[in-house]
Amino acid sequence: MTPAVKNLLIINVLCFAAFFVLEHSRGIDLNNLLGLHFILASDFMPYQFVSYMFMHSDIMHLFFNMFALWMFGCIIEQTMGTKRFLTYYFVCGIGAGICQEVAQFVHYSMLEHADVAMSLNGLVHGQFVLTENGAMDINWWSTVGASGAVYGILLAFAMYYPNNEMFIIPIPFPIKAKYLVLGYAVIEVLEAINRSNDHIAHMAHLGGMLFGLLLILYWRNKNKRRGNTQYVSFDSYNRG
């Protein structure tokens, strides 16, 4: 267990425990306070670009994100070093939030200009809830979870160790990391296009991968200019 991954796991678990306890004992919704609200909403605060990464909607949401963080994050932290890994993690997470905000703004603009009849009494329209007077309650739309940062870690794993073969249930044969992550990216694009109302932040997932890609390319170009060959291939790392 590498130090940054260990501490990120602890913080995420503690935040989820605080969310669960406060919601059931005092009626305080930490996800509403710390989740990333739509930038035009009255509940939006700039710190939410960071705090949303440590909040999760339920135990399975937390488990799968933390499992992926542990499984791939330890290898990437050993590869990058702790300081650079933390920089990468937060850049991916914040970048994911930015992309999600852009997607929400586009959706919001389309709804505002759409020639549709909006019913009253809290009817769900797309991913917005309507108030009693028919206006969109944009405070209802918020994002939580470390998925954007985790998808960035998956992207890093595929870039640094592209030929590592992995078994994914129920596929009966190994898949190289570069093809696996490419498949995940394609699925996220298709899901974002075809299933915009499934309450999953697909654009945040893609945003984490995009910002991770840009940061890794920046570091690689910087290392090349300095003649630095810091990163090894997966084969030498795994079989040495």
Side-chain angles (χ1 to χ4, degrees):
M1 182 76 72
T2 52
V5 169
K6 179 178 69 175
N7 284 292
L8 287 170
L9 290 172
I10 292 172
I11 294 171
N12 276 275
V13 171
L14 289 177
C15 286
F16 182 77
F19 158 68
F20 182 83
V21 170
L22 289 176
E23 184 178 48
H24 289 81
S25 65
R26 298 182 178 273
I28 299 174
D29 187 355
L30 277 185
N31 277 357
N32 185 59
L33 293 173
L34 302 179
L36 179 60
H37 285 273
F38 181 36
I39 197 167
L40 298 180
S42 60
D43 287 346
F44 168 78
M45 298 295 289
Y47 66 78
Q48 293 169 354
F49 277 107
V50 175
S51 62
Y52 91 98
M53 289 186 280
F54 298 98
M55 308 307 300
H56 290 83
S57 58
D58 55 51
I59 189 66
M60 296 308 296
H61 187 203
L62 174 71
F63 171 77
F64 283 113
N65 275 342
M66 295 304 98
F67 180 76
L69 173 59
W70 165 76
M71 185 174 181
F72 297 99
C74 291
I75 296 174
I76 298 305
E77 184 179 349
Q78 289 173 344
T79 303
M80 292 182 172
T82 297
K83 183 177 179 180
R84 181 165 282 197
F85 172 78
L86 284 173
T87 299
Y88 181 81
Y89 184 88
F90 282 102
V91 166
C92 288
I94 294 171
I98 292 172
C99 289
Q100 183 68 7
E101 290 288 330
V102 171
Q104 289 175 348
F105 184 82
V106 171
H107 191 183
Y108 174 78
S109 299
M110 291 173 62
L111 287 177
E112 271 213 320
H113 295 91
D115 185 19
V116 295
M118 293 187 175
S119 301
L120 304 181
N121 300 321
L123 174 67
V124 175
H125 181 82
Q127 288 190 1
F128 289 101
V129 171
L130 305 182
T131 61
E132 291 185 358
N133 63 3
M136 285 184 289
D137 183 6
I138 55 179
N139 279 315
W140 182 81
W141 200 350
S142 65
T143 304
V144 295
S147 301
V150 168
Y151 268 75
I153 290 174
L154 291 176
L155 185 280
F157 187 83
M159 291 190 70
Y160 291 132
Y161 311 125
N163 295 317
N164 176 38
E165 294 185 341
M166 307 174 65
F167 280 96
I168 304 297
I169 298 174
I171 301 174
F173 52 84
I175 302 176
K176 290 184 177 180
K178 57 187 176 183
Y179 300 132
L180 178 65
V181 173
L182 178 61
Y184 271 119
V186 171
I187 290 172
E188 288 298 324
V189 170
L190 295 176
E191 292 286 289
I193 295 172
N194 298 319
R195 300 182 62 183
S196 60
N197 296 331
D198 61 0
H199 305 292
I200 298 176
H202 298 293
M203 291 306 301
H205 299 169
L206 292 168
M209 297 177 81
L210 172 62
F211 274 73
L213 173 64
L214 294 175
L215 185 56
I216 288 174
L217 292 177
Y218 168 75
W219 282 337
R220 283 187 172 179
N221 289 332
K222 186 176 180 181
N223 288 335
K224 285 180 180 179
R225 289 196 298 268
R226 294 179 176 180
N228 185 349
T229 57
Q230 177 181 0
Y231 298 113
V232 298
S233 69
F234 180 83
D235 291 337
S236 62
Y237 180 85
N238 191 47
R239 299 175 186 173

